[in-house]
Amino acid sequence: MANNSTSVPALFQPLTLRSVTLRNRIGVSPMCQYTAEDGVANDWHFVHLGSRAVGGAGLVIVEATAVAPEGRITPGCLGLWSENHIAPLARIATFIKQHGAVAGIQIAHAGRKASAALPWNGGAHLSEAQGGWEIIGPSALAFGGDLTKVPHAMTEADLARLQNDFVATAKRALTAGFNFLELHAAHGYLFNSFLSPLSNQRTDKYGGSFENRTRLLLDTTRAVRQVWPEHLPLAVRISAIDWKAGGWQIEDSLALVKLLKAEGVDLLDCSSGGLVPDAKITVVPGYQVPFAEKIRHGANILTAAVGFITEAKQADDIVREGKADVVLLAREYLRDPYWPAHAAKILGHKLTPPNQYARAW
Ligand code: 531
């Protein structure tokens, strides 16, 4: 098949976000590696992320990277709360870009889900004696299950500090050379826990009404947008629904996303769940794609679909049918760093391999 714009599969068509062009619609979803020390990236992160750029991804997003030490999910999570964190991330961002991908980073605060053990050590909350720390959240309500610690309800001073931490971290991400920034507002972490009435029982201007529960995320997005350059794209990941009666629903997401768009958010990364341990989720292939589709059409914004996307045709259909603009692969990318090359073959498309691999692709 001729390699021109009419015959290039939707999955392999470029996408321009502000001044940045993704060579295709395939992204590496931010995936925790639990392998940092004091938040500092190392050779594991370099190889993990670098090999996926070499493998043909259009976008490589560095895992949830904490804006403050107490915002890490586990002691092994990445951070960017100090100048010392910049250099090893800069090496990674440079390599990703050298190999033709957009270098993204997701910045995050884990809120009441912070201070947990590594997953391969059980993932339960760690006491201070075990190397854990005090946690914060909207209200003094524990997540539940193995995450039994009760967060300290944030004061106005804590909220101001949090916003400053996001702004300072966004600036450091820019210094490190990233050209795509994502705010993590999903999966029950700090922003998500403010959004949902199940975790936010505040009675001040950050709790109660929809307007109050969305205030922290919207104020922080506005502050970050002011320091994140106009020519670079900003994304937000949300949990489109809590999968729980009385919780955050898709209509809430639509209303929030319209407001985020007005603050200069370019791409909405649509996940779900993670807010409460007893959510009833039916996980089937592409189970979150309908959220990306509803938000794309209902809020008129570019979306990324994530969650159980594994097959080339499935991914191509999502983009071609206008359900999402980008597909983010997570677990499938842990199995196959060369997924784009394999998908291209299946879809009858020719990728330009790196020179070093040209005789094999
Ligand atoms: C998986 C997850 C997906 C959907 C809901 C809850 C959890 N995650 C996401 C993570 C870390 C570990 C597992 C993050 O978002 C940082």
Side-chain angles (χ1 to χ4, degrees):
M1 202 194 296
N3 188 355
N4 60 46
S5 63
T6 53
S7 63
V8 172
L11 188 61
F12 286 96
Q13 288 180 11
L15 175 69
T16 298
L17 302 168
R18 301 202 182 220
S19 70
V20 168
T21 298
L22 278 61
R23 60 183 159 186
N24 59 47
R25 308 307 184 90
I26 306 164
V28 180
S29 192
M31 282 181 285
C32 299
Q33 299 296 299
Y34 309 105
T35 302
E37 268 180 58
D38 297 321
V40 180
N42 57 44
D43 284 353
W44 178 270
H45 306 92
F46 181 79
V47 173
H48 164 68
L49 297 157
S51 57
R52 283 152 183 84
V54 169
L59 170 64
V60 177
I61 310 179
V62 175
E63 70 190 62
T65 298
V67 301
E70 70 279 5
R72 289 171 296 166
I73 305 166
T74 74
C77 289
L78 284 182
L80 188 44
W81 63 80
S82 86
E83 306 308 298
N84 296 336
H85 293 101
I86 295 175
L89 284 172
R91 179 171 170 247
I92 293 170
T94 300
F95 186 87
I96 291 172
K97 291 186 292 184
Q98 262 167 8
H99 292 278
V102 171
I105 185 165
Q106 184 190 60
I107 61 174
H109 193 297
R112 67 178 185 166
K113 294 176 82 173
S115 183
L118 309 185
W120 48 84
N121 291 332
H125 262 157
L126 295 168
S127 67
E128 268 137 83
Q130 293 169 314
W133 53 87
E134 278 186 23
I135 60 174
I136 55 173
S139 305
L141 291 169
F143 175 78
D146 284 341
L147 302 182
T148 53
K149 283 191 162 199
V150 178
H152 145 79
M154 290 171 78
T155 62
E156 291 236 1
D158 294 330
L159 293 167
R161 186 162 1 96
L162 179 91
Q163 283 186 46
N164 290 337
D165 288 345
F166 269 92
V167 167
T169 301
K171 287 187 192 163
R172 289 184 205 107
L174 182 68
T175 305
F178 289 97
N179 51 2
F180 177 101
L181 182 71
E182 176 168 285
L183 305 182
H184 197 343
H187 301 165
Y189 300 114
L190 191 75
F191 285 133
N192 191 186
S193 68
F194 271 79
L195 296 176
S196 176
L198 299 175
S199 42
N200 181 348
Q201 298 186 352
R202 298 176 74 94
T203 53
D204 65 358
K205 66 176 187 180
Y206 295 95
S209 65
F210 172 87
E211 188 187 359
N212 285 355
R213 284 179 281 114
T214 55
R215 189 183 309 282
L216 178 64
L217 176 58
L218 288 166
D219 285 355
T220 310
T221 303
R222 189 175 311 122
V224 166
R225 188 72 262 189
Q226 271 166 21
V227 300
W228 186 248
E230 184 122 25
H231 68 278
L232 294 180
L234 177 65
V236 177
R237 172 170 279 186
I238 63 166
S239 279
I241 62 168
D242 289 340
W243 297 99
K244 175 97 181 166
W248 182 263
Q249 309 294 343
I250 189 70
E251 295 72 29
D252 297 314
S253 286
L254 284 168
L256 170 66
V257 172
K258 288 174 190 165
L259 298 170
L260 287 169
K261 188 183 172 195
E263 296 299 348
V265 171
D266 303 295
L267 179 86
L268 219 289
D269 177 1
C270 304
S271 191
S272 71
L275 186 91
V276 287
D278 58 342
K280 299 275 170 287
I281 313 180
T282 319
V283 179
V284 295
Y287 73 109
Q288 296 179 142
V289 173
F291 304 133
E293 184 179 12
K294 282 205 178 85
I295 289 170
R296 186 171 189 266
H297 298 293
N300 193 22
I301 191 168
L302 301 183
T303 60
V306 64
F308 214 148
I309 299 171
T310 58
E311 303 298 326
K313 180 157 185 330
Q314 175 197 20
D316 188 52
D317 286 349
I318 292 168
V319 178
R320 189 170 17 78
E321 292 167 7
K323 295 177 174 169
D325 301 280
V326 174
V327 289
L328 297 176
L329 275 63
R331 288 177 203 211
E332 185 59 20
Y333 245 132
L334 296 184
R335 291 183 275 270
D336 184 6
Y338 301 107
W339 193 88
H342 295 144
K345 216 165 231 172
I346 293 167
L347 297 173
H349 178 65
K350 178 94 186 81
L351 277 199
T352 309
N355 290 335
Q356 298 90 330
Y357 292 174
R359 61 193 178 276
W361 278 25

